[in-house]
Amino acid sequence: MSIIFTVPGRISGKERPRFGRGRTYTPAKTAKMEAVVKQFGAAAMMGGPPLEGPLSLEIDIYLSKPKSWSKKKKDETLWATGTPDLDNIAKLIGDALQGTCFANDSQIAALSIMRRYSVTDTEGTVITIRDARKL
């Protein structure tokens, strides 16, 4: 079984936890982004139970090309680099989908993440979750 869904717009990376007045908390920006990803993941699950067993998580990030670039550069450039780091995006998505698409993010046995510029200049992140035993 595969679960595939798209989160429109740009996903931020998971920020470091904050400390204050004797407690640790998740920054508001991270909590908001996790809630958005969780909402789209829950919709893709259509009320079904979280997936079990080892899973493969594929994250394909599509960004729009900067308007300031020349036509030549826009035509030549495919791969995107920069911030946030890909590992921080993967961490945010894994934590957000925990309890919705899978019971625990420790079930992720294979991870693939890619960031490139969109041909259509539409920003979004395509998330695919598969049973790793069937790869």
Side-chain angles (χ1 to χ4, degrees):
M1 177 177 196
S2 293
I3 304 296
I4 302 171
F5 61 97
T6 301
V7 178
R10 197 175 279 227
I11 290 185
S12 60
K14 184 157 183 114
E15 298 174 294
R16 295 180 189 271
R18 303 286 188 234
F19 305 95
R21 297 188 179 188
R23 67 180 191 101
T24 305
Y25 63 95
T26 301
K29 182 179 174 184
T30 296
K32 182 179 177 183
M33 185 55 63
E34 284 179 344
V36 169
V37 173
K38 185 174 194 140
Q39 177 185 2
F40 282 96
M45 292 298 291
M46 297 184 288
L51 301 175
E52 296 179 0
L55 301 173
S56 164
L57 177 63
E58 297 171 28
I59 304 168
D60 298 324
I61 304 163
Y62 297 95
L63 304 173
S64 59
K65 296 178 182 177
K67 298 203 183 300
S68 61
W69 282 7
S70 67
K71 181 174 177 3
K72 181 180 178 184
K73 187 170 183 177
K74 284 182 180 179
D75 292 343
E76 291 175 349
T77 308
L78 177 65
W79 297 102
T81 59
T83 59
D85 295 347
L86 292 179
D87 58 332
N88 291 335
I89 294 172
K91 181 68 177 153
L92 183 135
I93 291 171
D95 288 348
L97 298 178
Q98 189 168 262
T100 303
C101 295
F102 38 80
N104 193 294
D105 60 358
S106 65
Q107 290 174 254
I108 299 170
L111 175 65
S112 169
I113 184 166
M114 167 216 62
R115 175 174 44 200
R116 62 180 160 183
Y117 290 109
S118 171
V119 176
T120 62
D121 273 348
T122 303
E123 291 190 337
T125 301
V126 179
I127 299 170
T128 306
I129 305 166
R130 294 188 170 103
D131 185 339
R133 296 171 290 199
K134 296 181 181 176
L135 293 179

